[in-house]
Amino acid sequence: AIAHMRRSWSRAWRWVDGATIHATARVHPSARLAPGVVVEARARVGAGVVLGPGAVVGSSVSVGAGTSVGPHTSLQHCSIGGGCTLHAGVRIGADGFGFVPGTPAGAEQSRESQRLERSVGSVLEGDVLPVKKPQRRRVVVGRDVEVGAGSCIDRGSWGGTSIGA
């Protein structure tokens, strides 16, 4: 069973100069990928893109031509325009911090509300607990945008997040 899993995994991924690229990803031949880069399924990397060491281009992410992605940057649930500069440690497309009012204490609660109540302790009767609102939209970064080192641009819950688009 393990040998079968290894064969399946090896057919889905390929290694190019220390980078790991999913078989369904499209990487332009002129793109430069440093060791430790991961390009996941259905991702697209354009012409002249430079991906620094340890950068991760998540599933279905597109990176436009001439963009520079710094080391240890992660891109998920996003589209990056051409000519952008993303410095080291940037995080784009992560889940944000959205919360909505939850169920009043003492009322029937969802499993998520019950878990949240256990983690924050008991509440007074009538209090309303916040419940995590999933952030399911995408981030769109337009052309020629520069994002500073260590910055995070989260996806939205009500609408997408756009920077320079």
Side-chain angles (χ1 to χ4, degrees), residues 78-82 84 138-147 153 160-165:
C78 66
S79 173
I80 309 297
C84 292
R138 291 181 64 80
V139 175
V140 176
V141 177
R143 290 191 49 78
D144 302 316
V145 173
E146 184 169 358
V147 180
I153 303 172
T161 302
S162 295
I163 306 291

Side-chain angles (χ1 to χ4, degrees), residues 1 7 31 89 155:
R7 281 193 306 274
R155 30 189 188 139

Side-chain angles (χ1 to χ4, degrees), residues 6-111:
R6 284 186 182 149
R7 281 193 306 274
S8 296
W9 194 88
S10 67
R11 281 192 299 258
W13 295 89
R14 65 185 190 275
W15 295 269
V16 178
D17 297 328
T20 305
I21 304 169
H22 194 273
T24 62
R26 299 293 168 245
V27 178
H28 193 276
S30 67
R32 295 189 327 222
L33 282 60
V37 164
V38 176
V39 181
E40 295 182 356
R42 299 173 309 282
R44 294 183 317 253
V45 177
V49 169
V50 176
L51 298 175
V56 176
V57 179
S59 180
S60 300
V61 166
S62 65
V63 181
T67 291
S68 174
V69 178
H72 304 289
T73 292
S74 66
L75 308 174
Q76 54 188 346
H77 308 287
C78 66
S79 173
I80 309 297
C84 292
T85 301
L86 310 178
H87 292 278
V90 166
R91 304 288 182 252
I92 297 180
D95 188 33
F97 294 105
F99 291 90
V100 294
T103 308
E108 188 172 327
Q109 298 175 323
S110 70
R111 286 188 188 158

